[in-house]
Amino acid sequence: MASNQDIDLLLKDKMLSGDLKEIAQKVMDTQRISNEDALVLFEKGSLGFLGTLANHVRESKHGDSTYFNRNFHIEPTNICLYTCSFCSYSRLIKKREEGWEYTMDDIMDIVHKYDDQPVTEVHIVGGVLPQYDVKFYADLFKTIKAHRPELHIKALTPVEYHYIFKKDKVSYEEGMQIMMEAGLDSMPGGGAEIFHPEIRDEIAGGKCSGAQWLRIHEVWHELGGKSNATMLYGHIEKYWHRVDHMDQLRQLQDKTGGFQTFIPLKFRNQDNQMSHLSETTVIEDLRNYAISRIYLDNFDHIKSYWPMIGRDMAQLSLAFGVDDIDGTIDDTTKIYSMAGSEEQAPSMSTEQLVTMIRRVGRKPVERDTLYNVVTDYSDVVFEDDNAYKGYLSLPVV
Ligand code: V47
Ligand code: SF4
């Protein structure tokens, strides 16, 4: 696939402005781009230009390898104390009867459903409620580990951790240590939204601040843990808020090296308090993936989350800097279907994920949560190569 020659061609393009050429040269020389450069990319970079640079970075890091995992989600509740204006999923405490509140037994019933399936990860995240406290989650992690020790627990965000630690009067350091000892293996990237208070206060007022979100990840990284980071974009933020958000992540990553993956999350506008806003276009979403790949030079992976953006878009994103599309899911998350995603019951088999990746000329690799290779599918042939019935841009290899 594309590489240095493509950037060479860009550099020779007489129509390309000087500032964009300088940025292309930096990318070619593996030099970090500045915040000002990132803003120039957001304001002036064409899709083709950004795609070429991002693909170069992606292929320098991973070649054609494209990662996925076998996972399922558990969302213990959709009742929440907070009222984030982008959230279509949560219900207020005064409307509890409209939602669900799982007990420990309910959650373990879900875990048991996967006993005979080769999943490697459970992703646990949901609303914030007082009964889900430090003890509840520590007991839950211990119970899951006692039942299935090798299942990786990727659970809760600083939104929940900040709330439960404050309520139970434990410091971030003590709290994260308790979680680690109970069996927490890694932290997902949620709850980051946009860090800048000008936007955060407006869309996610009351929950942990950007600084607190970053500090909890830092503490977790100091304990040796790994985590992900997200950015919820395409609502009321300006481009510079996105740059500021990624700047703070890049700085923390320079300090700790604990982030694995950056996951841009496109704002979906169905049934929430910001439904009057239109959603970003496909072009804007691809530009955003590409710029994050170019800017976040110290993040190994950029993920497009297929349950949120749909399968075609996940395939497309693989040419714009993305090297990971998340997992099998098995219809276990409601966050995006309730917000209007194309995927109303997100579920994909391993065969479907592999075929989908192959059909855009990439190399499918099943990973575990920490990016250890579980199966390299390069030479694996399926009987039914039509497992994925979507867009066919290249013959199945
Ligand atoms: O924090 C909620 C976002 C996040 C909407 O770490 C919305 O591997 C768009 O973080 N439109 C939770 N986004 C999901 C998340 C995640 C997903 C997949 C993988 C990983 C990982 C993390 O979803 C929330 C919020 O930022 N969100 N509502 C919405 N209407
Ligand atoms: Fe609650 Fe999370 Fe929804 Fe905010 S995004 S209302 S914290 S469930």
Side-chain angles (χ1 to χ4, degrees):
M1 282 225 161
S3 203
N4 286 8
Q5 295 101 310
D6 292 345
I7 303 196
D8 271 341
L9 282 178
L10 283 182
L11 291 170
K12 287 187 189 122
D13 181 354
K14 292 203 174 59
M15 303 297 283
L16 194 67
S17 64
D19 46 3
L20 289 176
K21 263 191 193 157
E22 269 175 38
I23 297 172
Q25 189 64 57
K26 281 189 188 172
V27 173
M28 184 82 160
D29 298 341
T30 38
Q31 256 184 53
R32 174 167 280 193
I33 69 162
S34 67
N35 289 356
E36 292 69 33
D37 293 336
L39 208 50
V40 169
L41 293 181
F42 272 121
E43 279 164 1
K44 291 174 45 177
S46 70
L47 182 61
F49 173 81
L50 295 170
T52 304
L53 296 190
N55 195 47
H56 172 78
V57 179
R58 182 251 206 251
E59 291 186 357
S60 316
K61 286 181 184 285
H62 307 290
D64 281 331
S65 293
T66 300
Y67 303 94
F68 68 93
N69 70 348
R70 281 186 283 189
N71 61 352
F72 66 102
H73 287 229
I74 297 177
E75 295 171 351
T77 181
N78 71 335
I79 319 291
C80 190
L81 294 171
Y82 301 116
T83 53
C84 301
S85 50
F86 54 83
C87 186
S88 318
Y89 154 91
S90 65
R91 296 291 173 268
L92 292 168
I93 291 194
K94 60 182 181 214
K95 290 197 175 166
R96 292 190 112 113
E97 67 290 348
E98 291 179 10
W100 64 87
E101 287 169 72
Y102 293 155
T103 61
M104 175 84 89
D105 288 346
D106 296 332
I107 296 177
M108 286 312 295
D109 284 347
I110 301 176
V111 173
H112 287 138
K113 263 180 37 194
Y114 290 88
D115 280 356
D116 59 353
Q117 293 192 37
V119 288
T120 57
E121 172 192 284
V122 56
H123 179 157
I124 306 174
V125 74
V128 177
L129 275 184
Q131 76 258 31
Y132 300 110
D133 55 9
V134 170
K135 183 174 176 339
F136 180 90
Y137 283 121
D139 286 350
L140 175 64
F141 299 161
K142 282 181 200 159
T143 312
I144 295 174
K145 283 289 174 191
H147 175 68
R148 193 166 174 179
E150 79 290 355
L151 185 66
H152 182 109
I153 302 178
K154 181 172 88 176
L156 314 187
T157 74
V159 176
E160 291 99 328
Y161 287 126
H162 171 77
Y163 173 82
I164 65 177
F165 296 162
K166 200 167 161 217
K167 185 170 164 290
D168 289 346
K169 298 191 176 50
V170 292
S171 67
Y172 290 169
E173 287 78 2
E174 290 164 328
M176 292 317 298
Q177 183 74 45
I178 293 170
M179 293 299 149
M180 186 172 256
E181 282 164 14
L184 178 70
D185 292 301
S186 73
M187 256 163 77
E193 327 313 359
I194 288 283
F195 293 141
H196 198 287
E198 202 172 281
I199 302 298
R200 195 175 187 82
D201 292 350
E202 194 75 24
I203 66 167
K207 68 187 194 186
C208 74
S209 68
Q212 288 162 338
W213 189 99
L214 288 156
R215 179 63 195 148
I216 289 178
H217 279 264
E218 184 173 2
V219 167
W220 177 244
H221 296 169
E222 282 163 357
L223 290 172
K226 294 286 182 194
S227 65
N228 294 336
T230 57
M231 174 175 76
L232 173 66
Y233 71 93
H235 39 89
I236 58 167
E237 89 290 359
K238 302 268 187 286
Y239 283 144
W240 72 265
H241 294 115
R242 294 192 208 175
V243 176
D244 174 75
H245 187 92
M246 293 194 294
D247 178 30
Q248 301 201 48
L249 290 173
R250 194 168 75 170
Q251 286 188 40
L252 180 54
Q253 180 73 335
D254 277 343
K255 232 167 132 182
T256 65
F259 288 118
Q260 306 197 102
T261 314
F262 179 65
I263 311 154
L265 295 171
K266 168 200 179 88
F267 165 63
R268 307 298 316 237
N269 70 0
Q270 189 177 292
D271 292 335
N272 56 48
Q273 296 166 58
M274 296 203 289
S275 291
H276 56 286
L277 299 176
S278 5
E279 292 183 355
T280 45
T281 61
V282 166
I283 292 179
E284 180 61 9
D285 297 331
L286 294 173
R287 291 175 77 250
N288 190 76
Y289 282 119
I291 295 170
S292 60
R293 178 60 290 172
I294 298 163
Y295 181 86
L296 291 171
D297 58 343
N298 55 1
F299 274 63
D300 281 344
H301 303 281
I302 304 289
K303 183 192 284 190
S304 64
Y305 185 49
W306 72 264
M308 179 188 55
I309 54 170
R311 300 168 196 214
D312 288 356
M313 185 60 188
Q315 279 186 307
L316 253 180
S317 71
L318 298 181
F320 291 85
V322 168
D323 63 278
D324 188 306
I325 55 172
D326 206 83
T328 45
I329 308 287
D330 198 27
D331 192 17
T332 48
T333 175
K334 295 264 170 285
I335 299 178
Y336 293 104
S337 46
M338 288 170 87
S341 164
E342 295 73 12
E343 302 288 343
Q344 283 301 299
S347 189
M348 272 215 262
S349 65
T350 304
E351 286 80 357
Q352 285 175 315
L353 284 161
V354 166
T355 311
M356 184 176 143
I357 293 167
R358 281 182 177 159
R359 286 187 174 180
V360 286
R362 300 292 190 184
K363 185 178 119 179
V365 179
E366 185 194 336
R367 58 162 177 86
D368 66 13
T369 312
L370 301 177
Y371 288 86
N372 300 303
V373 173
V374 176
T375 309
D376 180 335
Y377 278 89
S378 300
D379 299 320
V380 178
V381 180
F382 298 127
E383 267 177 37
D384 173 14
D385 70 3
N386 278 324
Y388 173 68
K389 306 210 181 330
Y391 178 63
L392 180 68
S393 66
L394 278 181
V396 178
V397 284

